[in-house]
Amino acid sequence: MLAGCGKKDASKIRIGEVTRSIFYAPQYVALSQGFFKDEGLDVDLQTTAGGDKTMTAILSGTVDIGLVGSETSIYVYQQGADDPVINFAQLTQTDGTFLVARKPDQNFNWDSLKGITFLGQRKGGMPQMAGEFTLKKHGIDPHKDMNLIQNIEFANIPSAFASGTGDYVQLFEPQASVFEKAGTGHVIASFGKESGHLPYTVYMAKQSYLKKHKDVVQKFTNAIQRAQKWVDTKSVEEVANAVIPYFNKVDKDIVVSVVKRYKEQGSFATDPIIDEQEWNNLQDIMDSAGELKARAPYDKLVDNHFAEKAKADVK
């Protein structure tokens, strides 16, 4: 009887992350702590650098699920997609970028950015829109009050700043902390603190995939919720140790610093539910940047039932 009770093969699932960043710590925790394996999932994680490339991978079927900003699903919806891309589990709830200057500034004032050259992010991307939203909140028109550069590829922005382009730059971690350690730049403000809570980085998939693979998606969301709880309750040091295998070229002290920074500003979502108020905040930011043709209905592009079940079931 026992001979016929072999273990079932793990369900394979292909994930495309928009970039490799400690900002996504719960995802790497789910991998390193075996939470995906516990759910019977064999996860193939690939980095699909940039929101446009990640969305292309989702639409073409190169990946099953994408980890990317919610704004990308709104862009697809605005184009009238027959098979819309649905947001089903939130990973981060603030912007993850920081304002980096060439010199330390203990008495930083946003007005000091007027007239400078600012190396921003890709036009239409969430980092750039959150950055512009913050600047406008402080009375700065990024297109009139500064020389705004946003024609550099996402992956090349750090090297462009290091080579002398721009007075200030908007960077993700761990690059911001790497620059601080090297003396190349200094973090003087957080766009995450300034722009408020929003569904910044979310797991999403085509509606057809969610309908066809409900069991796999639920297991995946369960693992993410378990990882979110783990990150929320563990120390900075424990989280750093769990994610460092995915950042083997980054010094341990940098990883610890970055985890601490993101935990302190509440960037890691503690559950995968995508809140409607945060969704509206996202669209306010898009509208301010001139990238929103019309408000995208929350109930058409967000499916919380996987997240709600995971939150209820994962203890």
Side-chain angles (χ1 to χ4, degrees), residues 161-264:
F161 184 73
S163 65
T165 302
D167 302 309
Y168 295 80
V169 65
Q170 183 179 356
L171 290 177
F172 277 97
E173 290 284 19
Q175 193 61 60
S177 288
V178 169
F179 275 9
E180 280 194 314
K181 185 175 182 179
T184 307
H186 303 270
V187 173
I188 56 174
S190 165
F191 287 109
K193 287 182 179 178
E194 295 288 337
S195 55
H197 280 194
L198 61 158
Y200 195 82
T201 327
V202 173
Y203 289 105
M204 58 184 73
K206 288 192 288 188
Q207 189 173 62
S208 57
Y209 180 85
L210 295 181
K211 287 182 178 179
K212 187 176 180 180
H213 302 280
K214 291 180 180 179
D215 186 52
V216 169
V217 175
Q218 187 62 65
K219 290 177 178 179
F220 178 84
T221 310
N222 290 349
I224 292 299
Q225 169 67 103
R226 189 174 169 192
Q228 288 172 322
K229 281 178 169 287
W230 195 95
V231 169
D232 188 45
T233 57
K234 298 296 181 180
S235 69
V236 167
E237 187 82 14
E238 287 172 301
V239 176
N241 287 334
V243 305
I244 205 165
Y246 298 91
F247 301 90
N248 53 19
K249 293 183 179 180
V250 182
D251 292 345
K252 169 85 178 287
D253 61 329
I254 294 289
V255 177
V256 170
S257 169
V258 174
V259 170
K260 183 174 185 292
R261 187 168 273 162
Y262 280 137
K263 276 180 74 80
E264 285 180 347

Side-chain angles (χ1 to χ4, degrees), residues 11 40 45 76 93 106 112 131 140 158 184 198 205 210 215-216 222 229 231 244 246 260 271 278 301 304 315:
S11 299
L45 178 64
V76 171
Q93 60 187 8
Q106 299 297 329
S112 64
I140 300 169
T184 307
L198 61 158
L210 295 181
D215 186 52
V216 169
N222 290 349
K229 281 178 169 287
V231 169
I244 205 165
Y246 298 91
K260 183 174 185 292
D271 65 61
E278 293 180 5
L301 293 186
N304 270 326
K315 305 299 182 185

